[in-house]
Amino acid sequence: MTTTTSALNSTSATNSTSALNMTSALNLPSTLTTATTATTAALALFFLGMGLYGLAAPTALVRPFGIGLGGAAARTEVRAVYGGFGVAMAALLGWAAAGPTDALRRGAVLAVAVALLGMAGGRLAARLVEPPGSWYPSWFYFWAELTGGGLLLATTV
C-alpha cells in the first residue's frame, strides 16, 4: 500500500509540475506585456522625435505639407501643436511603458490610440473633400497614424 501511495503521489507531483511548466512556457500575459511595452515604447520614441523636431524647427516640420509659417504666431502654433503635444504624448507613453498599474497603463495607451485614430480619421475625411496631390506626406501619415493607433488599441484589450 505504501508503494502504491508513493507511486501515485509521485505521478501526481510529476503531472502537476508538467502542468505548471506548460503554463509558464505559454505565459501569455507576460508575452503580451512584453509586446505592449515594446509597442508603447516605440511609439513614445516616435512622438518624442516629432515633438522635439516641432519645437526646434517648426517651419521645416510643416514644409512637406506646403504650409508656410509667416510669423512668430504661426511658428508658436506649430511648436505647441506638434512640439508640445508630441513631447506630452511621448511622456505619457513612456510612463505607460514603465509599468504603472494595468488600469492606468490601459487608460494612457487608450487615450493616445484614440488621438492617433482621430488624426487618421481626419485625414480620411479630408481625402473625401480634397484629395492630396501625392502619397507623401498625407497618405504616409494616415497609415502611420492608423497603424500606431491600431497597435496601441490592440494592446488595451
Side-chain angles (χ1 to χ4, degrees):
M1 174 115 178
T2 305
T3 307
T4 305
T5 304
S6 179
L8 287 174
N9 286 341
S10 176
T11 302
S12 178
T14 302
N15 287 341
S16 294
T17 303
S18 295
L20 288 173
N21 287 339
M22 182 183 245
T23 302
S24 295
L26 293 176
N27 201 357
L28 296 177
S30 178
T31 302
L32 292 175
T33 301
T34 301
T36 297
T37 301
T39 300
T40 305
L43 285 165
L45 290 174
F46 170 80
F47 271 110
L48 182 62
M50 178 191 79
L52 294 176
Y53 189 47
L55 289 170
T59 303
L61 180 77
V62 298
R63 189 176 297 125
F65 297 95
I67 300 171
L69 302 179
R75 287 186 296 279
T76 296
E77 188 64 16
V78 171
R79 283 186 173 108
V81 173
Y82 289 93
F85 180 78
V87 170
M89 292 299 99
L92 183 59
L93 289 173
W95 173 76
T101 66
D102 191 53
L104 290 174
R105 181 199 60 77
R106 286 175 188 254
V109 169
L110 181 61
V112 178
V114 170
L116 282 169
L117 294 172
M119 288 186 273
R123 290 183 196 280
L124 193 57
R127 168 69 171 103
L128 297 174
V129 175
E130 184 177 31
S134 62
W135 188 81
Y136 183 83
S138 295
W139 285 116
F140 172 80
Y141 286 107
F142 167 79
W143 287 109
E145 292 155 357
L146 187 66
T147 302
L151 286 170
L152 286 176
L153 192 59
T155 69
T156 65
V157 293

